[in-house]
Amino acid sequence: LARVEWARPTAFHAADASPPVFDPGSRAALLSLVEQRLGWHPSLRLLHSAHPILRLWQSQVEGAPAPLPDEWHPATLIVWRRGWHVEVQQILPPERELLEYFENPGVFAEATLTLPRTPAQLAASFATLLRLQLLIGAHHINPTEEDKP
């Protein structure tokens, strides 16, 4: 729980960065992002736990019921800032795997060749990461010679 509480103000005070504009109804917009180098938003924190950390945190902070013994499963959380609001959310393994791929900026088209998921699964996970505004253009992170003007 302390890691969640540490991640929240860290995410809030992280550098600002604009995520790519993403229209989920526009196939052309999605295709243009497939070849773009993307990486984590500066506010993003990924937390792995052997415990149901989100449910435990919600029981302490939001007054939600604590998880029952049969609900005690490992969980992965993301903590990030969207605008001025800090978000805390559990993510599933497909999104976690793709997010870990983008920890070092990468290209989605290349991820489809290396990650153990079908292209359809990866595309759905990619759309989720974009919708949540977790990724930014790599030129905002570590500019390479080709990213520099």
Side-chain angles (χ1 to χ4, degrees):
L1 296 179
R3 292 188 302 149
V4 177
E5 286 301 314
W6 168 83
R8 292 179 75 241
T10 303
F12 183 80
H13 293 288
D16 292 332
S18 298
V21 176
F22 171 64
D23 175 7
S26 169
R27 183 181 167 138
L30 184 58
L31 288 175
S32 72
L33 292 172
V34 167
E35 293 294 331
Q36 193 176 63
R37 278 183 66 236
L38 300 170
W40 286 12
H41 189 281
S43 69
L44 180 62
R45 302 295 179 264
L46 185 66
L47 306 175
H48 302 286
S49 177
H51 311 289
I53 191 169
L54 180 62
R55 295 276 309 277
L56 290 167
W57 180 75
Q58 289 171 331
S59 72
Q60 299 301 306
V61 175
E62 299 173 358
L68 298 172
D70 63 335
E71 299 170 326
W72 207 265
H73 305 289
T76 300
L77 295 186
I78 50 174
V79 180
W80 80 106
R81 187 185 74 233
R82 189 176 352 194
W84 293 107
H85 183 70
V86 174
E87 307 271 352
V88 179
Q89 181 176 319
Q90 187 167 328
I91 60 170
L92 299 174
E95 286 76 27
R96 176 189 50 83
E97 290 168 4
L98 188 56
L99 201 52
E100 288 173 339
Y101 171 82
F102 284 113
E103 185 172 8
N104 295 312
V107 176
F108 175 73
E110 295 169 5
T112 63
L113 302 173
T114 60
L115 294 176
R117 302 276 175 191
T118 67
Q121 291 171 322
L122 287 169
S125 295
F126 188 53
T128 298
L129 300 184
L130 292 171
R131 181 179 47 78
L132 294 174
Q133 301 178 351
L134 301 175
L135 302 175
I136 62 170
H139 59 279
H140 292 297
I141 303 166
N142 276 329
T144 63
E145 287 304 316
E146 60 191 51
D147 291 327
K148 294 178 183 176

